[in-house]
Amino acid sequence: MLKSMAAPYASFGVTFCPTGGVNLENMNDYLALPVVSSIGGSWIATRQQIADKQWGIITQQVKDALLKAEARACG
């Protein structure tokens, strides 16, 4: 879908930051798309985790995502 949406804007260099449907398992699929400059989503820190002040869990989720993105960039 992103490729189709990006096509009319290709000459302008428009990139996207998808957030819906992104998770740890598929994040690198999104990052591999040339029209994607970044990703986001509540999976990194859910509303409940924040409300419950689960900072350790959130920190680990962020570390896991960074490690996975780094492995993609290096490999």
Side-chain angles (χ1 to χ4, degrees):
M1 182 174 150
L2 281 173
K3 290 178 187 178
S4 296
M5 288 177 53
Y9 306 104
S11 64
F12 299 108
V14 173
T15 59
F16 295 87
C17 176
T19 56
V22 180
N23 57 52
L24 185 64
E25 288 73 38
N26 67 12
M27 63 179 265
N28 281 342
D29 295 335
Y30 284 95
L31 290 171
L33 298 171
V35 297
V36 171
S37 58
S38 58
I39 58 167
S42 59
W43 59 278
I44 255 325
T46 68
R47 186 175 297 216
Q48 191 62 54
Q49 289 169 335
I50 294 167
D52 293 344
K53 299 181 181 181
Q54 295 178 327
W55 312 128
I57 292 171
I58 294 168
T59 299
Q60 189 59 54
Q61 289 168 173
V62 171
K63 286 180 180 181
D64 292 346
L66 287 171
L67 285 172
K68 189 163 186 170
E70 183 178 86
R72 180 203 156 280
C74 294

